[in-house]
Amino acid sequence: MVADAYLPALTAAVARYDSAGTMPQYMILLDAFYYHGRDGRLWMSILENPLQASVRLRASEQREAAHLRERLAALRVAVTRSRRLQREAEAHGGASWLAKVVKVNVNVVLPSDFSFRSARILPPIPFTSDNVSRDHRKLVLYDFTETDPYAGELLATGIGIGEHYASATWEDRGYRVRGRTALAARAAVRRMLTSNGFRPDQIPEPLRVATGTATPPTRQFGVARALTVHNEPGFGAKESSVARAMLYSLAPPGSVIIVPDPLWLSESWAAMLAGAAARGCAVIIIAPAKANAPSPEPPVIALERDILRRLLAIRAHLAAVPNEAVGVLHVGVYASSTPVTDVDRRRAEVRAGLARAPWIRDLIPFDATALAVLDRATAQASQADSSATRLAQDEVPRAPQLHQKTQLIARPGAIAALVRQPGWENVLAQSMHDQARQTVRLADAIGAPLPPVDTAAARAADALLQGYERSLGEADRKRLSFYFSLGSQNHDPRGLMLDGEASVIVSGFDASAGLVDLFYLMARTT
């Protein structure tokens, strides 16, 4: 990310400066927990002062060091060749002024204070220090403001910054959001800076609340009902936890709730889902096997297995209750050995899983025609993933890592209403194909001077889904009642009550796109 994203972006911005007269402001908010524990100082020092930074990597990393030095040299050459930059630097302070303009503004937030200890941070331990409080959000936002919410976009995901997140064995999901719901992320960044000591007049100008007349979108985008919610770090408000608890607790009998997660450590979340099953919902919980767990530490695996064992006991109890109003609780373990790029083996896993668990086809009754269409679309998407993940390879072979934090809640009758709609699978398959093409184009654009912000593939996918929804009658649109949520929050006590987290929740027909993804995940789960 330093060598092939930030430094080329800075170099391109400098090259444009003579004609544009403006420099983008790049900002990073990095939690101190990760800054100290993940070589953050090394990389942030390079980005904070790229015109003077030196590169000191391990002896075994000379190829990477040479690549970094090439990128830094290209940036410095661009600076010396920019007549406008040199002229303005001479007028404003020389090298010190250049160092403030050509850089990434790094903010290390939530610094630890070991002298602050409280029983409220981790209730079982009465003297826990505040270095366990952290901001777990993974957000990227660019260009949009309160008066022009469509100028850029928000990326909300569970994916962190690291090569292993981009390899073919990492299972994760993200949303790209434009419009007013994305503004909550700007407000969250301002709150974080303020809580770390910034005065209002110190908030960077691009992040301040923009005032004036709102600019209407100049391009047509996909329109969905969406909500962005945040958990503030420490003892701050926990909107993401509240929203998720509402989805689980208020789902009426007959609803379907599908929840994969890499960390099942919270009795509270497990109890809400078990309660939904007792009320009459069909609840599907998916946890990773040890080989597929991004956090395979023995204490974590032991705690998770305890939660899963208790859920299995509740499942057995519910199955024995002679009451038609009681729902079902399925507990699955994701133990796949096939990366996303191996299409044939994934198909075999899906076929074996559906044969092993025929109730999946009862729950999501895709007919043979729809399944064939979706199989082809999924295969095309996997081939696109193979192209997009060539930038990063696992140094040590590993099983797929289940890191996605997605929740699908289908209200009673919604799935049946969806699969009865003629032609919906063709529309969704074409949309998946268009999005896959866009993924490849974005991967190809890494290192290019100006990566495309929007593409024909994205607009085509949007237009297909919007056109199909408009073709439905009002009664059908009401029956297609889904909620789909994703973000950074796990099913653990930290995410529930302590860490900074972010979730995007989409409702209605647009949320049904998550159903196909989770259908295949369930089929590849034991």
Side-chain angles (χ1 to χ4, degrees):
M1 293 299 294
V2 171
D4 294 329
Y6 278 104
L7 293 180
L10 281 170
T11 304
V14 169
R16 295 192 303 269
Y17 190 70
D18 282 5
S19 58
T22 58
M23 277 288 292
Q25 289 194 36
Y26 298 97
M27 306 177 207
I28 291 177
L29 275 68
L30 175 61
D31 189 286
F33 180 91
Y34 301 100
Y35 174 77
H36 294 296
R38 297 288 187 273
D39 282 338
R41 183 182 299 276
L42 168 69
W43 304 111
M44 293 304 105
S45 297
I46 293 173
L47 293 178
E48 182 75 24
N49 187 17
L51 299 183
Q52 300 294 330
S54 58
V55 176
R56 294 186 181 90
L57 301 186
R58 298 184 184 95
S60 61
E61 297 172 329
Q62 293 310 302
R63 181 173 59 87
E64 290 84 355
H67 182 50
L68 264 174
R69 292 189 184 103
E70 288 175 7
R71 293 296 201 193
L72 289 168
L75 173 60
R76 292 163 186 170
V77 168
V79 170
T80 60
R81 289 178 176 175
S82 172
R83 295 180 180 178
R84 188 169 188 165
L85 263 181
Q86 294 299 325
R87 185 173 63 248
E88 293 181 4
E90 188 175 344
H92 293 95
S96 61
W97 181 85
L98 280 173
K100 293 178 183 177
V101 173
V102 183
K103 64 178 295 188
V104 177
N105 297 278
V106 176
N107 303 273
V108 179
V109 299
L110 295 179
S112 302
D113 183 351
F114 285 86
S115 65
F116 179 76
R117 299 174 183 272
S118 169
R120 295 177 62 194
I121 294 175
L122 210 60
I125 305 175
F127 51 84
T128 307
S129 60
D130 80 338
N131 68 310
V132 301
S133 295
R134 64 192 195 213
D135 199 324
H136 191 239
R137 286 174 283 195
K138 286 91 171 182
L139 301 171
V140 178
L141 51 154
Y142 69 88
D143 288 357
F144 63 89
T145 66
E146 286 75 11
T147 56
D148 196 356
Y150 292 91
E153 68 183 1
L154 164 70
L155 310 180
T157 179
I159 304 167
I161 302 298
E163 284 191 55
H164 65 286
Y165 292 112
S167 78
T169 53
W170 196 265
E171 298 270 6
D172 222 322
R173 304 294 182 265
Y175 256 127
R176 299 173 60 200
V177 182
R178 293 185 180 95
R180 301 202 64 81
T181 191
L183 296 177
R186 282 174 55 86
V189 174
R190 288 192 294 267
R191 288 195 301 271
M192 175 55 70
L193 292 175
T194 301
S195 69
N196 279 267
F198 276 55
R199 299 188 309 269
D201 62 305
Q202 292 176 320
I203 299 294
E205 181 114 10
L207 291 175
R208 297 179 191 176
V209 177
T211 58
T213 304
T215 303
T218 56
R219 292 170 291 178
Q220 185 62 46
F221 300 106
V223 178
R225 290 188 297 275
L227 179 70
T228 304
V229 284
H230 293 258
N231 279 2
E232 299 300 319
F235 303 138
K238 302 292 186 239
E239 292 181 354
S240 180
S241 293
V242 170
R244 180 181 291 184
M246 290 173 66
L247 289 173
Y248 293 170
S249 309
L250 301 180
S255 299
V256 176
I257 305 176
I258 306 172
V259 190
D261 199 278
L263 286 175
W264 284 99
L265 305 178
S266 167
E267 297 176 3
S268 300
W269 291 126
M272 290 182 214
L273 290 165
R279 285 198 316 276
C281 298
V283 177
I284 297 91
I285 291 173
I286 300 173
K290 183 178 181 180
N292 305 87
S295 300
E297 295 81 6
V300 173
I301 297 298
L303 288 170
E304 184 169 80
R305 287 180 176 173
D306 181 57
I307 292 288
L308 296 181
R309 275 196 296 266
R310 294 165 72 179
L311 284 169
L312 286 172
I314 294 171
R315 170 190 161 193
H317 173 74
L318 293 179
V321 174
N323 187 339
E324 293 182 358
V326 172
V328 294
L329 177 62
H330 293 284
V331 181
V333 173
Y334 177 82
S336 172
S337 60
T338 307
V340 69
T341 50
D342 194 332
V343 177
D344 292 335
R345 280 181 61 195
R346 285 222 164 188
R347 282 176 173 163
E349 279 189 349
V350 169
R351 287 195 297 269
L354 294 176
R356 187 171 59 242
W359 59 266
I360 297 175
R361 293 289 297 274
D362 296 333
L363 192 72
I364 307 175
F366 293 142
D367 61 27
T369 302
L371 208 52
V373 171
L374 295 172
D375 276 346
R376 287 195 297 273
T378 304
Q380 290 173 339
S382 296
Q383 290 166 354
D385 287 335
S386 179
S387 298
T389 57
R390 67 180 182 274
L391 297 170
Q393 305 295 328
D394 293 317
E395 292 185 1
V396 178
R398 63 176 179 176
Q401 303 294 288
L402 181 67
H403 195 249
Q404 70 186 80
K405 302 96 181 276
T406 53
Q407 298 90 46
L408 178 83
I409 292 87
R411 287 170 63 84
I415 295 177
L418 177 69
V419 299
R420 283 199 304 265
Q421 299 298 325
W424 76 269
E425 68 276 12
N426 295 309
V427 172
L428 186 59
Q430 184 60 45
S431 173
M432 291 167 65
H433 174 69
D434 291 338
Q435 290 171 354
R437 282 197 300 125
Q438 183 188 14
T439 299
V440 174
R441 286 191 60 186
L442 287 171
D444 289 342
I446 293 291
L450 283 171
V453 173
D454 195 28
T455 67
R459 292 193 296 274
D462 289 342
L464 274 171
L465 292 172
Q466 287 183 78
Y468 183 78
E469 186 176 17
R470 284 194 298 268
S471 73
L472 301 176
E474 182 65 24
D476 283 332
R477 279 201 294 270
K478 286 184 177 179
R479 279 194 289 269
L480 297 179
S481 183
F482 294 88
Y483 297 90
F484 187 65
S485 171
L486 62 77
S488 62
Q489 187 171 5
N490 291 114
H491 286 82
D492 63 338
R494 297 183 58 99
L496 175 68
M497 64 180 182
L498 192 65
D499 290 348
E501 306 283 2
S503 299
V504 176
I505 305 170
V506 174
S507 66
F509 170 74
D510 299 271
S512 66
L515 182 66
V516 176
D517 182 43
L518 291 174
F519 173 81
Y520 284 104
L521 180 63
M522 290 162 59
R524 296 173 53 240
T525 296
T526 302

